[in-house]
Amino acid sequence: MTDASAPTDAPHPAGGPGRRRAPRPGRSRWLAAGGVAVLAGVLGLTLALRAGATPACAAPPAAVPLGVAAPVAAAPPVGGTVHKGKATFYDSKGAGGNCSYPSAPANRLYVALGPTEYAAGAACGGHLDVTGPKGTVRVLVMDQCPECAPGHLDLSREAFARIADPVQGIVSVSYRAVVDPPLPGPLTFRIKEGASRYWFAVLVADHGNPLRAVEVRQGDSGGWRAAARQDYNYWLVESGVGPGPYSIRVTDVYGHRVTAGGVRLTPGQVQRGTVRMYGGGASAGGGRPAARSASPRPSASPTPRATSPRPSPSAAPASSSPSAPAAPVVPLAAEAPAAGCGN
């Protein structure tokens, strides 16, 4: 086999015919000059990289290898899209789960979602219709199931019994988010223990759909302060909002927005407002909420829930056509290529 890298003017083996050819005029000088240019280019690139310069045409991000699933973005189920998965069950012992509710709902129909669908508290307060072998049940999202993969629902024992025989332990289900479910009443607000004029945290409940934003201001005027959602479902303003009473503006994932006024700085109490998130009674303003007592809760984030042993094979959900209109998705604008980076 011929070595393509061997020079064409290499001498023949000893005793062979011919002599070594003399180099063509100027060839040595060209090679020397080229070598200097290449060396200068390498040194320049090295110095530029050390100085932090960015190449004009950076390599694109590595593609996900074939056969490897791309990571799933954390987001709560919304829009009525039907998903396929599986269900198990557990008992919260009457507690309100990682969503920090004072207690489980009176009908004890609730669900815990895995981290991807719990989405750091973004799913709290929403509702799912879950269908299994025996029928369909509507459940409140109030807890997180740390070990559950996407599509794995951990229902309350009572909810599981509505759709399957508990002896089965694990069943295949379909489920979808409920858009604008009936509301139990006006919004409720619970100021967290330890809150003051200098540190503010509030739990909003009875909103029907998952929430997108909560804003707070002192009194009925002044600028709104955006609160940051915590993974235990409180909305936090680190620097506080003042001594109160407060106006609280609430927006859900479908664009419903209402404002409740007169929320007082009474940590540990549940205050019921006068406005509903949507439907009858919802308005742009709000009256003074009436307070009702609630058992105090520790100021730390909720402890992990108790669960019953169960098998946990993973099951990725499959989606079918939506049965209700989904929230619109705005596509990102395409980024123009850098000059000189074309093919």
Side-chain angles (χ1 to χ4, degrees):
M1 182 170 66
T2 303
D3 184 357
S5 64
T8 56
D9 54 356
H12 290 284
R19 295 180 302 168
R20 181 185 180 96
R21 292 199 306 265
R24 288 176 292 179
R27 179 176 174 85
S28 297
R29 289 193 298 274
W30 182 86
L31 288 173
V36 171
V38 171
L39 179 60
V42 172
L43 290 175
L45 178 58
T46 303
L47 291 174
L49 292 176
R50 288 183 178 178
T54 302
C57 300
V64 178
L66 292 176
V68 177
V72 179
V78 294
T81 300
V82 177
H83 304 271
K84 302 290 186 180
K86 64 182 180 182
T88 51
F89 64 90
Y90 81 109
D91 189 350
S92 77
K93 310 293 185 184
N98 271 93
C99 292
S100 298
Y101 297 129
S103 63
N107 62 11
R108 295 188 58 80
L109 301 179
Y110 53 85
V111 63
L113 302 180
T116 300
E117 292 176 295
Y118 181 77
C124 288
H127 294 76
L128 302 180
D129 278 345
V130 183
T131 301
K134 288 174 54 178
T136 300
V137 63
R138 179 164 295 179
V139 290
L140 171 72
V141 178
M142 74 158 210
D143 209 350
Q144 179 174 204
C145 171
E147 70 275 21
C148 290
H152 182 170
L153 309 182
D154 211 12
L155 299 169
S156 65
R157 182 182 295 271
E158 291 81 359
F160 190 94
R162 297 277 189 97
I163 64 165
D165 186 342
V167 172
Q168 293 180 265
I170 181 170
V171 295
S172 296
V173 296
S174 63
Y175 62 99
R176 66 179 183 89
V178 183
V179 181
D180 294 353
L183 298 171
L187 292 172
T188 65
F189 304 91
R190 185 179 189 276
I191 307 298
K192 191 168 179 57
E193 293 85 356
S196 70
R197 64 185 300 167
Y198 305 110
W199 187 86
F200 180 88
V202 63
L203 172 72
V204 184
D206 293 343
H207 42 80
N209 301 311
L211 295 184
R212 187 178 69 197
V214 170
E215 302 161 283
V216 188
R217 71 183 179 190
Q218 170 70 34
D220 297 326
S221 61
W224 290 103
R225 302 281 303 279
R229 184 187 355 240
Q230 307 302 296
D231 61 4
Y232 51 94
N233 197 33
Y234 271 83
W235 294 82
L236 175 66
V237 180
E238 281 277 6
S239 58
V241 191
Y246 311 103
S247 294
I248 300 180
R249 185 164 67 185
V250 181
T251 307
D252 71 16
V253 294
Y254 303 114
H256 301 301
R257 172 181 285 180
V258 295
T259 300
V263 179
R264 293 173 290 115
L265 184 58
T266 54
Q269 290 188 347
V270 176
Q271 304 177 60
R272 183 169 292 280
T274 60
V275 293
R276 294 172 181 259
M277 196 66 211
Y278 47 81
S283 66
R288 182 181 184 86
R292 56 186 174 92
S293 299
S295 56
R297 294 176 57 81
S299 58
S301 57
T303 55
R305 61 195 177 85
T307 59
S308 55
R310 59 191 178 280
S312 57
S314 60
S319 299
S320 66
S321 301
S323 57
V329 177
V330 179
L332 296 176
E335 184 176 344
C341 294
N343 293 328

